[in-house]
Structure formats: structure tokens, C-alpha cells
């Protein structure tokens, strides 16, 4: 692969692991910076925001839209933000996605950084430079690829993160283990949800390993022409289930990963024993592995998935635990397998 594929189009972000939030005042000029966060984080960690100019947006995926971006832009104008202003998104994936996007379009682009506060944002959403918003039912329909200047990890934010959000994020952590890291898979099997939930040090170490996995994948493939596709493991069927069954993202991905393992057995010689291991691990971290889904409806949504190309669908399968690949599966074959999966 050519060298240029190994660097981001923008300068790669500096990453500060296990760093106190107070470091932010060394990274940016306080007088000429604006923080963006959501109402939950602002309410629960208000002390961190005192003395900073802060824009507080509504919390939740339903507010990850253009209207929220317009409100941010109006507030930036009121605050006299100019080309020198630095923007910092402090929050979960909704805040980091909106912040990266709003910062990239305001005055044709301001510099920005992230302080991810949910585990999902720490291991997934804040890494890779994809920023954007939803348009109606279409997720991440509008956006840009633009790298933040830095990522600051202060694990003390996790003290107020609701338990269900911890569980949700383990779906992506298990996904990383399945596609890239057999050792991490074994480690997760050996430990438990409580082991990580009860210790910021334990979860911090796990987060750091996961950042490296995602970072390496996107570094090799910023614009998703190859390896980055592997991060969609469990997501093709998972997204369809999320839509039909209105399940939380992590739960839908848990079920989607099990389905993808069964498909890997049929297509790729992945072993049934390994499917059972993946299933057990997902359950161990309190995520569902099956659900009474409306298969017809789920299949219809799946067919409209943007990863469909002609008569085949690009599908992420496992070769073994820790190794994934993209396979083109003829749609009739995929349909047959999908309908044969016992939920
Ligand atoms: N850009 C990408 O590459 C990428 C990758 C994966 C996901 N995403 C996006 O990320 C979003 C999901 O991220 P998320 O799960 O973090 O959702 P989120 O931002 O909605 O956060 C989940 C909930 O936790 C709350 N919260 C976050 N941190 C908290 C804290 N420290 N204390 C108390 N409450 C806290 C939030 O207010 C929210 O209610 C989706 O919009 C998804 O599309 C983007
Ligand atoms: Zn996901």
C-alpha cells in the first residue's frame, strides 16, 4: 500500500490517555475557545465547565440533526467566534459527531478537539474523523471526514455514565475483539462486566487497547475503501434490527454479531464452537444474543442497506476469532441463510 494511505488527510490527532480534564487549558486558549456539550453531561459534571464558554445542546440521537447544528452556529455568532476560535466537543458520540461537523462548516472550518465522555465515544465515535448528523430516519446522512486536533481521555467522566450506556459500548468492544484481537477476546472471557465497571483503571486500560484497534484500522483506510469496512461486523443485520425492533444500538449489534457468525459458518467455514464462544461472551456482558424479530421487515430494511451492491451484498464474516474479511454474498444465498437462523 502506498505511503500516503498511512497518513490522515489532516494531521493525525494527538491522543492524551488518562489525563485530567484540567489539561484542556494547556491545549487551547481558554479566552478563544468554545466548548460544546449536552444537557446531561453539563448537569452531572457542571464543575468541569465553570469558567469556560459553553454551548449546551439537547441530549439524544433525535437531536443529532441539522437544527442542532444551526443552533450551534447561531450561538457561535453570538459569542463572536471567528477563524481563530477553537471548538471542543465534550460528550458522547452525538456531541462529538455534531461538534466535528459544525466546526468543519462554520466559517469554512475551525479547528476542533474532543473530550469523549461515553465509552462508545472513547473507543469508537471520536476516532476516525467521520462527523455528521442524521436526516429524518437516515442516520449520518450528511457530514464530513475531518480529523480533530486532539483527543483527551479523562476517565472520571465515566463515573456518571449510566450503566446501560456501559453495556451498549461493550458491543463495540466485543466487535473489535472478534475482528482484530483474539487476545483481547480471551481477556474479556476471563474477566467480567463488573471487573471493568468497578474500576476506572481497568476500564481505562481496556479503552486504550480499543482506541489502538480502531485507530489502526482507520489510519490504514480513512475513506473506507477496504479495511475500515471490517468495523461493520454485526452492523448490517444489526442496523436492520435496530430499526425494526427499536432496540438500543449495542443490543442490536449483539444480535447482529451472532447472526454474522452463523453466516460465517455457512460461507466461510467459521466453526460452530467459535459462534458459541462469541454468543457466550456477548451474554456475559449483558447484551442479548437473540430476539423475536420480524424477519420479513428486517430483511426489507437490510436490502436497502447502503452496503448492498447489485446482486451481491458485501458482508463482513469471521475467518476465526480475531480475524475478519469482506465477502461478496449473492443476495438469494444470504436471504436463505438469514431466514434459516434460529432466533
Ligand atoms: N463518527 C463515528 O465514526 C461514529 C462511530 C460510532 C458511533 N457514532 C455515533 O455516536 C452516537 C452514539 O454515541 P453514544 O452512545 O455516546 O451516544 P450519546 O452521545 O447519545 O450518549 C449516550 C447518553 O449518555 C449520556 N452521557 C454521555 N456521557 C456521559 C457521562 N459521562 N455522564 C453522564 N451521561 C453521559 C448522553 O447525554 C446520552 O444521554 C451515534 O449518533 C452514532 O451514530 C459515530
Ligand atoms: Zn456500532
Amino acid at each position: 500500500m502506498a505511503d500516503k494511505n498511512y497518513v490522515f488527510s489532516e494531521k493525525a490527532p494527538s491522543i492524551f490517555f488518562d489525563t485530567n480534564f484540567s489539561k484542556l487549558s494547556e491545549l487551547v486558549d481558554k479566552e478563544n475557545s468554545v466548548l460544546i456539550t449536552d444537557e446531561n453531561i453539563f448537569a452531572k459534571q457542571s464543575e468541569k465547565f465553570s469558567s469556560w464558554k459553553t454551548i449546551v445542546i439537547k441530549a439524544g440521537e433525535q437531536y443529532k440533526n441539522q437544527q442542532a447544528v444551526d443552533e450551534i452556529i447561531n450561538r457561535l455568532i453570538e459569542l463572536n467566534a471567528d477563524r481563530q476560535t477553537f471548538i471542543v466537543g465534550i460528550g458522547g458520540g452525538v456531541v462529538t459527531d455534531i461538534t466535528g461537523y459544525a466546526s468543519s462548516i462554520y466559517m469554512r472550518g475551525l479547528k476542533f478537539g474532543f473530550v469523549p465522555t461515553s465509552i462508545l465515544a472513547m473507543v469508537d465515535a471520536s476516532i476516525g474523523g467521520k462527523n455528521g448528523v442524521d436526516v429524518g430516519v437516515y442516520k449520518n446522512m450528511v457530514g464530513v471526514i475531518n480529523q480533530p486536533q486532539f483527543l483527551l481521555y479523562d476517565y472520571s467522566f465515566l463515573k456518571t455514565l449510566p450503566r446501560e450506556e456501559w453495556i451498549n459500548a461493550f458491543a463495540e468492544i466485543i466487535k473489535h475483539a472478534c475482528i482484530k484481537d483474539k487476545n483481547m477476546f480471551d481477556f474479556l472471557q476471563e474477566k467480567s462486566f463488573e471487573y471493568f465497571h468497578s474500576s476506572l483503571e481497568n476500564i481505562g486500560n481496556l479503552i486504550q487497547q480499543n482506541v489502538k484497534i480502531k485507530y489502526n484500522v482507520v489510519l490504514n483506510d480513512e475513506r473506507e475503501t477496504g479495511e475500515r469496512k471490517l468495523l461493520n461486523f454485526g452492523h448490517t443485520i444489526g442496523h436492520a434490527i435496530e430499526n425494526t425492533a427499536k432496540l438500543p444500538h449495542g443490543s442490536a449489534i449483539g444480535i447482529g454479531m451472532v447472526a454474522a457468525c452463523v453466516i460465517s459458518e455457512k460461507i466461510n467455514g467459521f466453526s460452530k464452537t467459535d459462534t458459541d464462544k462469541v454468543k457466550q461472551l456477548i451474554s456475559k456482558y449483558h447484551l442479548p444474543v437473540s430476539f423475536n424479530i420480524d424477519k420479513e421487515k428486517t430483511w426489507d430494511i437490510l436490502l436497502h442497506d447502503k452496503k448492498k451492491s447489485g446482486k451481491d451484498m458485501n458482508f463482513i464474516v469471521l475467518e476465526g476469532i480475531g480475524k475478519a474479511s469482506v465477502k461478496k454474498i449473492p443476495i438469494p444465498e444470504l436471504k436463505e441463510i438469514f431466514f434459516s437462523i434460529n432466533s
Side-chain angles (χ1 to χ4, degrees):
M1 210 178 281
D3 267 345
K4 67 177 170 49
N5 290 336
Y6 284 91
V7 289
F8 282 128
S9 51
E10 298 292 317
K11 193 170 120 331
S14 310
I15 305 188
F16 302 93
F17 287 115
D18 199 9
T19 300
N20 194 285
F21 183 73
S22 58
K23 171 88 177 172
L24 192 60
S25 54
E26 291 170 31
L27 297 175
V28 300
D29 169 16
K30 201 178 230 178
E31 290 313 307
N32 210 3
S33 298
V34 175
L35 312 189
I36 299 178
T37 191
D38 78 20
E39 54 196 357
N40 292 339
I41 300 151
F42 190 73
K44 289 180 180 160
Q45 308 246 1
S46 56
E47 69 293 345
K48 293 205 166 79
F49 298 91
S50 61
S51 82
W52 289 91
K53 276 176 247 165
T54 307
I55 299 175
V56 181
I57 62 174
K58 292 197 189 88
E61 184 73 29
Q62 69 271 37
Y63 298 107
K64 196 177 107 172
N65 55 25
Q66 190 61 43
Q67 195 186 332
V69 175
D70 291 345
E71 283 166 19
I72 289 171
I73 290 172
N74 282 326
R75 286 283 291 131
L76 288 171
I77 294 170
E78 277 167 25
L79 290 165
N80 295 320
D82 61 20
R83 304 249 336 118
Q84 269 60 53
T85 303
F86 198 102
I87 314 283
V88 189
I90 298 164
V94 167
V95 169
T96 56
D97 277 12
I98 294 190
T99 300
Y101 176 54
S103 309
S104 300
I105 59 172
Y106 182 77
M107 290 188 153
R108 297 194 186 83
L110 304 187
K111 289 186 174 159
F112 62 96
F114 292 148
V115 181
T117 66
S118 70
I119 301 176
L120 191 124
M122 291 184 183
V123 302
D124 193 354
S126 68
I127 306 156
K130 284 189 184 176
N131 309 285
V133 294
D134 305 334
V135 180
V137 294
Y138 302 103
K139 285 202 68 185
N140 304 317
M141 196 64 176
V142 172
V144 295
I145 293 186
N146 202 4
Q147 301 298 332
Q149 301 289 306
F150 63 79
L151 297 171
L152 192 161
Y153 287 81
D154 179 343
Y155 304 124
S156 74
F157 274 103
L158 300 179
K159 287 183 192 159
T160 58
L161 183 71
R163 182 184 158 93
E164 65 266 24
E165 298 301 339
W166 280 69
I167 293 173
N168 214 14
F170 268 93
E172 310 297 344
I173 292 174
I174 293 170
K175 176 190 79 178
H176 285 159
C178 286
I179 62 168
K180 281 282 162 195
D181 197 333
K182 167 92 169 66
N183 287 339
M184 190 167 85
F185 190 96
D186 295 343
F187 184 66
L188 289 167
Q189 268 185 325
E190 192 188 307
K191 303 296 180 192
S192 65
F193 178 80
E194 299 315 323
Y195 169 84
F196 297 108
H197 193 228
S198 62
S199 153
L200 288 183
E201 189 186 343
N202 293 348
I203 190 68
N205 290 336
L206 185 68
I207 287 167
Q208 194 161 331
Q209 283 183 53
N210 278 274
V211 171
K212 286 182 183 151
I213 293 173
K214 173 143 189 199
Y215 194 79
N216 281 329
V217 170
V218 296
L219 199 61
N220 288 331
D221 182 19
E222 189 184 8
R223 292 189 176 264
E224 194 162 330
T225 51
E227 179 150 341
R228 194 165 183 167
K229 289 194 168 72
L230 302 183
L231 295 168
N232 290 325
F233 175 64
H235 279 62
T236 306
I237 292 179
H239 276 150
I241 294 174
E242 189 174 352
N243 271 332
T244 36
K246 304 278 173 261
L247 284 179
H249 182 72
S251 302
I253 299 312
I255 302 166
M257 287 193 287
V258 175
C261 284
V262 175
I263 292 167
S264 307
E265 282 177 34
K266 302 269 160 63
I267 297 286
N268 223 29
F270 186 65
S271 76
K272 165 101 177 58
T273 324
D274 283 345
T275 296
D276 289 341
K277 279 191 192 158
V278 173
K279 232 177 178 173
Q280 273 163 19
L281 189 65
I282 293 169
S283 291
K284 189 174 170 126
Y285 286 84
H286 308 305
L287 288 157
V289 289
S290 66
F291 190 76
N292 204 2
I293 53 168
D294 179 340
K295 278 200 173 155
E296 293 287 346
K297 207 168 154 194
T298 310
W299 177 253
D300 280 348
I301 293 182
L302 201 151
L303 267 195
H304 287 103
D305 191 283
K306 58 180 183 279
K307 283 171 277 301
K308 182 188 73 162
S309 62
K311 292 196 188 67
D312 304 311
M313 193 180 290
N314 282 328
F315 201 89
I316 314 305
V317 290
L318 295 185
E319 311 269 326
I321 289 175
K323 190 165 188 322
S325 63
V326 187
K327 280 269 147 75
K328 251 191 198 333
I329 306 181
I331 288 177
E333 190 178 347
L334 187 65
K335 184 173 183 183
E336 202 185 312
I337 304 174
F338 177 73
F339 279 89
S340 74
I341 297 172
N342 297 319
S343 51

